[in-house]
Amino acid sequence: MSTTTCTRTLVALDVDGTLVDSERRIPSGTVDALDLVRAAGHEIVPATGRSLAGLLPIATRLGLTRGWAVCSNGALTVHLDPAAPSGYDVVDARMFDPAPVLRRALDLTGNVRVAVEEIGWGWRTAGRFRADELNGQQKTMLLADLMAEPATRVALAAPGIRRYVDALHVTGVTVVPQGADWLDLTAPGVNKAAALEEIRTHLDIPAGHTVAVGDGVNDLDMLAWAGRGVAMGQAPSIVRSAADQTTGTIEERGVLSVLASLVPAVDGALSPLAAQIATAGRTAPGPVVLRVWHGPGPDLTRCEAWSLRDGRWVRHAPIPSGVGTTMRAIEAAALEAGLPYPRGDESRRRAQWRSVTGDGPAGFELPLSDL
């Protein structure tokens, strides 16, 4: 099998209009494409205007339950981790005092509804909001109480409130319109790009090895930040003009062609597990082993490709479809992918597995390359 080493890339993906349509459906093929990109060693980072409470169920459906995520237009950075008590750890929450901008909004329009984000839970509100207007739960409070504490994000809803963007911006906050009747407010300097840049620096990924895909006005900074900014086909002209290229619409599954461009082509007849193993084998910079770990039963709780680099073994990529399967399924998928190990008949293949130890539970590794 040929080798095509891929440069590790940070792939920032908007959620609504990019990975999920207006009916909250995930276009077919999206999850498999995301799994292949991860198996190639790239870092996928959801970057959304959604609150954390709104992102978590979508991230689970997308299979993105480990790794970095940016929420609330950049106000909140989290690290997703199924082992964490709530499934995530808050890395950075950029807070601001909402009182000055809320007083200014009341001066401009008395008929304004206010929602203040509560991280991981939902919203505290003054005024009635429909369930489909806000992600998560809601608790009605006095406006004075909403002004009393710092917030990551505030939503303002009122007829025609978009015309007050400049008047509210002079209070020092970041104002992002989400339609004629809705504004999102965050701390000064907050946007998706600023949060993504901190993640990129932490991961030590070169600035030029960044890709971003989005469709909204809140994606403008992100598309300009990325080495390759891609607008969805249904994005407004101001967004498309800010991007390096435009892909298909959400109905046309436009993000899939972008994801496919980040991985080597694999046989479309392969099972998802075999395709991911083949992708990891082709993109790793050196010899490859698969490392697996068991939970309480026979099913695997982790499956990763590790590569020999500069004389030491380093984690190359996760194999998402390996989680929940068995060592025998890994063996079969490796053979299906055309990799050189395991070899021999089934009774002898088990001898190819080696025990590994390290931080956490003991596991096993299967060489996939001649060492």
Side-chain angles (χ1 to χ4, degrees), residues 114-244:
V114 179
V116 175
E117 182 179 270
E118 187 165 326
I119 295 174
W121 182 83
W123 299 81
R124 293 172 287 126
T125 65
R128 186 178 297 276
F129 287 83
R130 300 190 312 272
D132 62 349
E133 289 183 296
L134 297 170
N135 298 126
Q137 302 182 66
Q138 297 182 35
K139 180 180 180 180
T140 302
M141 300 181 66
L142 296 175
L143 184 58
D145 293 332
L146 299 184
M147 293 184 182
E149 298 181 7
T152 49
R153 180 169 60 143
V154 174
L156 301 181
I161 197 170
R162 182 171 188 162
R163 65 183 180 272
Y164 299 127
V165 167
D166 292 338
L168 296 174
H169 180 70
V170 298
T171 65
V173 302
T174 300
V175 184
V176 178
Q178 301 288 356
D181 304 329
W182 190 285
L183 299 177
D184 278 342
L185 313 178
T186 52
V190 162
N191 56 59
K192 294 182 182 182
L196 289 165
E197 178 61 15
E198 292 188 8
I199 296 172
R200 182 198 69 78
T201 302
H202 176 81
L203 295 174
D204 196 26
I205 294 175
H209 298 162
T210 50
V211 175
V213 188
D215 75 320
V217 173
N218 62 339
D219 295 316
L220 287 171
D221 293 298
M222 180 177 76
L223 296 177
W225 162 84
R228 177 188 173 196
V230 183
M232 295 293 290
Q234 78 277 0
S237 58
I238 188 174
V239 176
R240 286 184 276 115
S241 64
D244 299 303

Side-chain angles (χ1 to χ4, degrees), residues 50-338:
R50 284 174 173 250
S51 65
L52 178 58
L55 171 66
L56 290 174
I58 294 295
T60 299
R61 291 172 58 197
L62 291 166
L64 302 177
T65 57
R66 293 183 184 272
W68 298 85
V70 172
C71 308
S72 302
N73 291 325
L76 187 68
T77 298
V78 299
H79 193 265
L80 302 173
D81 181 359
S86 299
Y88 63 87
D89 293 308
V90 175
V91 177
D92 192 12
R94 302 157 188 88
M95 314 290 283
F96 73 105
D97 177 6
V101 69
L102 290 181
R103 293 191 187 100
R104 182 60 175 148
L106 289 171
D107 289 340
L108 294 168
T109 174
N111 187 29
V112 61
R113 295 177 293 148
V114 179
V116 175
E117 182 179 270
E118 187 165 326
I119 295 174
W121 182 83
W123 299 81
R124 293 172 287 126
T125 65
R128 186 178 297 276
F129 287 83
R130 300 190 312 272
D132 62 349
E133 289 183 296
L134 297 170
N135 298 126
Q137 302 182 66
Q138 297 182 35
K139 180 180 180 180
T140 302
M141 300 181 66
L142 296 175
L143 184 58
D145 293 332
L146 299 184
M147 293 184 182
E149 298 181 7
T152 49
R153 180 169 60 143
V154 174
L156 301 181
I161 197 170
R162 182 171 188 162
R163 65 183 180 272
Y164 299 127
V165 167
D166 292 338
L168 296 174
H169 180 70
V170 298
T171 65
V173 302
T174 300
V175 184
V176 178
Q178 301 288 356
D181 304 329
W182 190 285
L183 299 177
D184 278 342
L185 313 178
T186 52
V190 162
N191 56 59
K192 294 182 182 182
L196 289 165
E197 178 61 15
E198 292 188 8
I199 296 172
R200 182 198 69 78
T201 302
H202 176 81
L203 295 174
D204 196 26
I205 294 175
H209 298 162
T210 50
V211 175
V213 188
D215 75 320
V217 173
N218 62 339
D219 295 316
L220 287 171
D221 293 298
M222 180 177 76
L223 296 177
W225 162 84
R228 177 188 173 196
V230 183
M232 295 293 290
Q234 78 277 0
S237 58
I238 188 174
V239 176
R240 286 184 276 115
S241 64
D244 299 303
Q245 66 182 94
T246 299
T247 187
T249 65
I250 180 71
E251 290 79 13
E252 296 166 336
R253 302 183 296 170
V255 73
L256 296 191
S257 63
V258 181
L259 297 176
S261 71
L262 300 172
V263 298
V266 296
D267 186 347
L270 292 178
S271 66
L273 179 56
Q276 291 161 34
I277 292 174
T279 296
R282 294 184 60 181
T283 56
V288 182
V289 297
L290 286 182
R291 289 187 177 178
V292 301
W293 290 263
H294 287 287
D299 291 347
L300 304 177
T301 57
R302 286 168 60 195
C303 182
E304 300 170 349
W306 286 60
S307 178
L308 188 62
R309 189 180 308 171
D310 298 327
R312 65 188 184 93
W313 289 100
V314 296
R315 181 182 181 274
H316 172 59
I319 307 297
S321 290
V323 176
T325 187
T326 63
M327 292 169 68
R328 180 167 294 182
I330 298 292
E331 295 171 354
L335 287 173
E336 182 187 355

Side-chain angles (χ1 to χ4, degrees), residues 27-69:
S28 61
T30 301
V31 174
D32 286 344
L34 292 171
D35 286 346
L36 284 178
V37 171
R38 295 166 64 205
H42 302 309
E43 294 283 346
I44 292 179
V45 180
T48 179
R50 284 174 173 250
S51 65
L52 178 58
L55 171 66
L56 290 174
I58 294 295
T60 299
R61 291 172 58 197
L62 291 166
L64 302 177
T65 57
R66 293 183 184 272
W68 298 85

